[in-house]
Amino acid sequence: MGKKILVTGGSGYIGSHTVIELQKSGFDTIIIDNLSNSIPEIVDQIARITGKKPLFEKFDMTARPALEEFFKRHADIAGVIHFAACKAVGESVADPLKYYHNNLVSLIYLLECMRSQKNQPKLVFSSSCTVYGQPDQLPVTEKAPVKQAMSPYGNTKQISEEIIDDSARQTGIASISLRYFNPIGAHESALIGELPIGVPNNLVPFITQTAIGKREQLTVFGNDYNTPDGTCIRDYIHVCDLARAHVVALQRLLEEKNETPHEVFNLGTGTGYSVLEAIQSFEKTTGVKLNWAFSGRRPGDVEKVWADTTLANLTLGWKAEKGLDEMMATAWAWEKNMAAGILNNLNKNK
Ligand code: WQD
């Protein structure tokens, strides 16, 4: 029996890929998820990939009694990887209170439950490079100043890190916050991947849905930025490289190698690509010509951001391995599987 790890939001995009890496590393996993942005079939898909079905419980982490009762039933949780949060930048502008309530209340209840455990679990938290806004210097390091958030979503990540920082010192719950850059791609099996519900906000699912014919045309938001080809630059990272980093961070905490109560690491590749370069990579890798056109800038977009990954490379001993072409190839394989009804068939098999 491996150590038991709670993965909140574990049926989601990054959560599900992380559960697979945890199981591969010998951990026992239990997922809690309110299924607001994922489907339960993903748990079956994880089992198809690893041969081991994670425990799963559906409930809302802002329902405190349910969360307290859960922790009473699982007193042996050694670590928590906390993904559960609303994450759509645009939606957070339209409905800030939903984001502050869901993202912050669920974190506070989680931390209070963890504090009450006889053996306090370790915490790995899903943060975001959004906390940097538009950095003054690139590549951006963890020492860069956290800037005025560009959205309520980004602000919930900043506030969450501050809550974790203060509480880790007081409670002794050793914590690591991982600042993701742009996670894209899918597991090599093409049995799980990004599952945007409704019209995708993010670039790569919009690319693959346009390529498969689900969307008419991709809109490229802005071509007048101060970048080589005028389009925004991002540090795209394969979701499986990202997932692996969560296991490494968790093991660091379980082995009590953390140097401070709350550590922060950038998770990127260290290389930035423009929107046009991302499109070119997709077309070259898949052979599919994409229908796209320029429009005006998208409000709130950062012009260019990519990570200085030195700290994660040297301290965590982790480095992203997959390149942009592989990210695009796996995203495309997953999109084609979804179009072939891979998830619907699961429904039918029930
Ligand atoms: C990337 C680039 C767009 C869609 C956000 C959050 C971040 C994380 C990932 C949660 C930008 C351009 C996009 C489209 C486009 N979310 N684009 N046409 O905004 O960098 O990051 O999602 O963890 O925290 O901030 O990602 O994929 O939306 O955009 O031209 O249809 O693609 O303008 O330059 P973003 P994105």
Side-chain angles (χ1 to χ4, degrees), residues 46 81 86 88 120 127 131-132 283 308 324 336:
I46 292 171
I81 303 185
C86 301
Q120 287 182 341
S127 189
V131 302
Y132 297 118
E283 292 184 329
D308 179 315
L324 187 63
K336 286 191 288 186

mmCIF file with all atom_site columns, all heavy atoms in Angstrom, residues 46 81 86 88 120 127 131-132 283 308 324 336:
data_model
loop_
_atom_site.group_PDB
_atom_site.id
_atom_site.type_symbol
_atom_site.label_atom_id
_atom_site.label_alt_id
_atom_site.label_comp_id
_atom_site.label_asym_id
_atom_site.label_entity_id
_atom_site.label_seq_id
_atom_site.pdbx_PDB_ins_code
_atom_site.Cartn_x
_atom_site.Cartn_y
_atom_site.Cartn_z
_atom_site.occupancy
_atom_site.B_iso_or_equiv
_atom_site.pdbx_formal_charge
_atom_site.auth_seq_id
_atom_site.auth_comp_id
_atom_site.auth_asym_id
_atom_site.auth_atom_id
_atom_site.pdbx_PDB_model_num
ATOM 1  N N   . ILE A 1 46  ? -8.531  6.881  -16.447 1.00 0.00 ? 46  ILE A N   1
ATOM 2  C CA  . ILE A 1 46  ? -7.285  6.739  -15.666 1.00 0.00 ? 46  ILE A CA  1
ATOM 3  C C   . ILE A 1 46  ? -7.039  5.263  -15.384 1.00 0.00 ? 46  ILE A C   1
ATOM 4  O O   . ILE A 1 46  ? -5.930  4.750  -15.567 1.00 0.00 ? 46  ILE A O   1
ATOM 5  C CB  . ILE A 1 46  ? -7.369  7.546  -14.354 1.00 0.00 ? 46  ILE A CB  1
ATOM 6  C CG1 . ILE A 1 46  ? -7.393  9.058  -14.640 1.00 0.00 ? 46  ILE A CG1 1
ATOM 7  C CG2 . ILE A 1 46  ? -6.204  7.186  -13.416 1.00 0.00 ? 46  ILE A CG2 1
ATOM 8  C CD1 . ILE A 1 46  ? -7.695  9.930  -13.426 1.00 0.00 ? 46  ILE A CD1 1
ATOM 9  N N   . ILE A 1 81  ? -2.798  17.382 -3.110  1.00 0.00 ? 81  ILE A N   1
ATOM 10 C CA  . ILE A 1 81  ? -2.479  18.232 -4.267  1.00 0.00 ? 81  ILE A CA  1
ATOM 11 C C   . ILE A 1 81  ? -3.781  18.940 -4.625  1.00 0.00 ? 81  ILE A C   1
ATOM 12 O O   . ILE A 1 81  ? -4.780  18.302 -4.956  1.00 0.00 ? 81  ILE A O   1
ATOM 13 C CB  . ILE A 1 81  ? -1.933  17.423 -5.456  1.00 0.00 ? 81  ILE A CB  1
ATOM 14 C CG1 . ILE A 1 81  ? -0.684  16.635 -5.019  1.00 0.00 ? 81  ILE A CG1 1
ATOM 15 C CG2 . ILE A 1 81  ? -1.593  18.371 -6.601  1.00 0.00 ? 81  ILE A CG2 1
ATOM 16 C CD1 . ILE A 1 81  ? 0.022   15.880 -6.135  1.00 0.00 ? 81  ILE A CD1 1
ATOM 17 N N   . CYS A 1 86  ? -12.089 27.360 -9.841  1.00 0.00 ? 86  CYS A N   1
ATOM 18 C CA  . CYS A 1 86  ? -12.573 27.860 -11.131 1.00 0.00 ? 86  CYS A CA  1
ATOM 19 C C   . CYS A 1 86  ? -11.376 28.521 -11.815 1.00 0.00 ? 86  CYS A C   1
ATOM 20 O O   . CYS A 1 86  ? -10.561 29.164 -11.145 1.00 0.00 ? 86  CYS A O   1
ATOM 21 C CB  . CYS A 1 86  ? -13.663 28.904 -10.922 1.00 0.00 ? 86  CYS A CB  1
ATOM 22 S SG  . CYS A 1 86  ? -15.086 28.312 -10.027 1.00 0.00 ? 86  CYS A SG  1
ATOM 23 N N   . ALA A 1 88  ? -11.397 30.047 -15.401 1.00 0.00 ? 88  ALA A N   1
ATOM 24 C CA  . ALA A 1 88  ? -11.583 30.778 -16.673 1.00 0.00 ? 88  ALA A CA  1
ATOM 25 C C   . ALA A 1 88  ? -11.444 32.284 -16.424 1.00 0.00 ? 88  ALA A C   1
ATOM 26 O O   . ALA A 1 88  ? -12.256 32.887 -15.705 1.00 0.00 ? 88  ALA A O   1
ATOM 27 C CB  . ALA A 1 88  ? -12.945 30.463 -17.271 1.00 0.00 ? 88  ALA A CB  1
ATOM 28 N N   . GLN A 1 120 ? -0.473  15.790 10.107  1.00 0.00 ? 120 GLN A N   1
ATOM 29 C CA  . GLN A 1 120 ? -0.802  16.833 9.132   1.00 0.00 ? 120 GLN A CA  1
ATOM 30 C C   . GLN A 1 120 ? -0.231  16.484 7.757   1.00 0.00 ? 120 GLN A C   1
ATOM 31 O O   . GLN A 1 120 ? 0.973   16.269 7.631   1.00 0.00 ? 120 GLN A O   1
ATOM 32 C CB  . GLN A 1 120 ? -0.249  18.180 9.609   1.00 0.00 ? 120 GLN A CB  1
ATOM 33 C CG  . GLN A 1 120 ? -1.021  18.759 10.781  1.00 0.00 ? 120 GLN A CG  1
ATOM 34 C CD  . GLN A 1 120 ? -0.480  20.116 11.197  1.00 0.00 ? 120 GLN A CD  1
ATOM 35 O OE1 . GLN A 1 120 ? 0.650   20.469 10.867  1.00 0.00 ? 120 GLN A OE1 1
ATOM 36 N NE2 . GLN A 1 120 ? -1.288  20.865 11.926  1.00 0.00 ? 120 GLN A NE2 1
ATOM 37 N N   . SER A 1 127 ? -0.763  26.885 -8.629  1.00 0.00 ? 127 SER A N   1
ATOM 38 C CA  . SER A 1 127 ? -0.795  28.322 -8.842  1.00 0.00 ? 127 SER A CA  1
ATOM 39 C C   . SER A 1 127 ? -0.538  28.615 -10.328 1.00 0.00 ? 127 SER A C   1
ATOM 40 O O   . SER A 1 127 ? -0.645  27.722 -11.155 1.00 0.00 ? 127 SER A O   1
ATOM 41 C CB  . SER A 1 127 ? 0.257   29.026 -7.959  1.00 0.00 ? 127 SER A CB  1
ATOM 42 O OG  . SER A 1 127 ? 0.049   30.436 -8.028  1.00 0.00 ? 127 SER A OG  1
ATOM 43 N N   . VAL A 1 131 ? 0.200   35.325 -11.743 1.00 0.00 ? 131 VAL A N   1
ATOM 44 C CA  . VAL A 1 131 ? 0.538   36.198 -10.607 1.00 0.00 ? 131 VAL A CA  1
ATOM 45 C C   . VAL A 1 131 ? 1.579   37.259 -10.994 1.00 0.00 ? 131 VAL A C   1
ATOM 46 O O   . VAL A 1 131 ? 1.697   38.294 -10.344 1.00 0.00 ? 131 VAL A O   1
ATOM 47 C CB  . VAL A 1 131 ? 1.035   35.393 -9.377  1.00 0.00 ? 131 VAL A CB  1
ATOM 48 C CG1 . VAL A 1 131 ? 0.010   34.377 -8.921  1.00 0.00 ? 131 VAL A CG1 1
ATOM 49 C CG2 . VAL A 1 131 ? 2.374   34.731 -9.648  1.00 0.00 ? 131 VAL A CG2 1
ATOM 50 N N   . TYR A 1 132 ? 2.332   36.989 -12.069 1.00 0.00 ? 132 TYR A N   1
ATOM 51 C CA  . TYR A 1 132 ? 3.377   37.949 -12.464 1.00 0.00 ? 132 TYR A CA  1
ATOM 52 C C   . TYR A 1 132 ? 2.832   39.098 -13.300 1.00 0.00 ? 132 TYR A C   1
ATOM 53 O O   . TYR A 1 132 ? 3.533   40.101 -13.521 1.00 0.00 ? 132 TYR A O   1
ATOM 54 C CB  . TYR A 1 132 ? 4.474   37.242 -13.277 1.00 0.00 ? 132 TYR A CB  1
ATOM 55 C CG  . TYR A 1 132 ? 5.228   36.169 -12.532 1.00 0.00 ? 132 TYR A CG  1
ATOM 56 C CD1 . TYR A 1 132 ? 5.194   34.844 -12.961 1.00 0.00 ? 132 TYR A CD1 1
ATOM 57 C CD2 . TYR A 1 132 ? 5.978   36.483 -11.398 1.00 0.00 ? 132 TYR A CD2 1
ATOM 58 C CE1 . TYR A 1 132 ? 5.892   33.852 -12.288 1.00 0.00 ? 132 TYR A CE1 1
ATOM 59 C CE2 . TYR A 1 132 ? 6.691   35.491 -10.717 1.00 0.00 ? 132 TYR A CE2 1
ATOM 60 C CZ  . TYR A 1 132 ? 6.635   34.179 -11.171 1.00 0.00 ? 132 TYR A CZ  1
ATOM 61 O OH  . TYR A 1 132 ? 7.325   33.194 -10.495 1.00 0.00 ? 132 TYR A OH  1
ATOM 62 N N   . GLU A 1 283 ? 0.326   22.905 -37.567 1.00 0.00 ? 283 GLU A N   1
ATOM 63 C CA  . GLU A 1 283 ? 0.142   22.563 -38.985 1.00 0.00 ? 283 GLU A CA  1
ATOM 64 C C   . GLU A 1 283 ? 1.247   21.632 -39.459 1.00 0.00 ? 283 GLU A C   1
ATOM 65 O O   . GLU A 1 283 ? 0.991   20.629 -40.141 1.00 0.00 ? 283 GLU A O   1
ATOM 66 C CB  . GLU A 1 283 ? 0.105   23.833 -39.833 1.00 0.00 ? 283 GLU A CB  1
ATOM 67 C CG  . GLU A 1 283 ? -1.133  24.695 -39.591 1.00 0.00 ? 283 GLU A CG  1
ATOM 68 C CD  . GLU A 1 283 ? -1.210  25.912 -40.518 1.00 0.00 ? 283 GLU A CD  1
ATOM 69 O OE1 . GLU A 1 283 ? -0.133  26.429 -40.890 1.00 0.00 ? 283 GLU A OE1 1
ATOM 70 O OE2 . GLU A 1 283 ? -2.341  26.322 -40.857 1.00 0.00 ? 283 GLU A OE2 1
ATOM 71 N N   . ASP A 1 308 ? 11.827  31.534 -16.147 1.00 0.00 ? 308 ASP A N   1
ATOM 72 C CA  . ASP A 1 308 ? 13.182  31.130 -15.759 1.00 0.00 ? 308 ASP A CA  1
ATOM 73 C C   . ASP A 1 308 ? 12.954  29.866 -14.920 1.00 0.00 ? 308 ASP A C   1
ATOM 74 O O   . ASP A 1 308 ? 12.301  29.927 -13.878 1.00 0.00 ? 308 ASP A O   1
ATOM 75 C CB  . ASP A 1 308 ? 13.857  32.225 -14.935 1.00 0.00 ? 308 ASP A CB  1
ATOM 76 C CG  . ASP A 1 308 ? 15.263  31.814 -14.505 1.00 0.00 ? 308 ASP A CG  1
ATOM 77 O OD1 . ASP A 1 308 ? 15.419  30.664 -14.045 1.00 0.00 ? 308 ASP A OD1 1
ATOM 78 O OD2 . ASP A 1 308 ? 16.185  32.628 -14.635 1.00 0.00 ? 308 ASP A OD2 1
ATOM 79 N N   . LEU A 1 324 ? 7.329   21.602 -28.285 1.00 0.00 ? 324 LEU A N   1
ATOM 80 C CA  . LEU A 1 324 ? 6.040   22.129 -28.759 1.00 0.00 ? 324 LEU A CA  1
ATOM 81 C C   . LEU A 1 324 ? 5.379   21.189 -29.761 1.00 0.00 ? 324 LEU A C   1
ATOM 82 O O   . LEU A 1 324 ? 4.162   20.960 -29.700 1.00 0.00 ? 324 LEU A O   1
ATOM 83 C CB  . LEU A 1 324 ? 6.267   23.506 -29.395 1.00 0.00 ? 324 LEU A CB  1
ATOM 84 C CG  . LEU A 1 324 ? 5.004   24.275 -29.807 1.00 0.00 ? 324 LEU A CG  1
ATOM 85 C CD1 . LEU A 1 324 ? 4.130   24.606 -28.590 1.00 0.00 ? 324 LEU A CD1 1
ATOM 86 C CD2 . LEU A 1 324 ? 5.374   25.566 -30.564 1.00 0.00 ? 324 LEU A CD2 1
ATOM 87 N N   . LYS A 1 336 ? -8.977  13.992 -31.866 1.00 0.00 ? 336 LYS A N   1
ATOM 88 C CA  . LYS A 1 336 ? -9.516  13.014 -32.834 1.00 0.00 ? 336 LYS A CA  1
ATOM 89 C C   . LYS A 1 336 ? -10.222 11.877 -32.093 1.00 0.00 ? 336 LYS A C   1
ATOM 90 O O   . LYS A 1 336 ? -11.282 11.424 -32.501 1.00 0.00 ? 336 LYS A O   1
ATOM 91 C CB  . LYS A 1 336 ? -8.378  12.472 -33.713 1.00 0.00 ? 336 LYS A CB  1
ATOM 92 C CG  . LYS A 1 336 ? -7.884  13.480 -34.750 1.00 0.00 ? 336 LYS A CG  1
ATOM 93 C CD  . LYS A 1 336 ? -6.949  12.822 -35.773 1.00 0.00 ? 336 LYS A CD  1
ATOM 94 C CE  . LYS A 1 336 ? -5.622  12.483 -35.152 1.00 0.00 ? 336 LYS A CE  1
ATOM 95 N NZ  . LYS A 1 336 ? -4.639  11.961 -36.155 1.00 0.00 ? 336 LYS A NZ  1
#
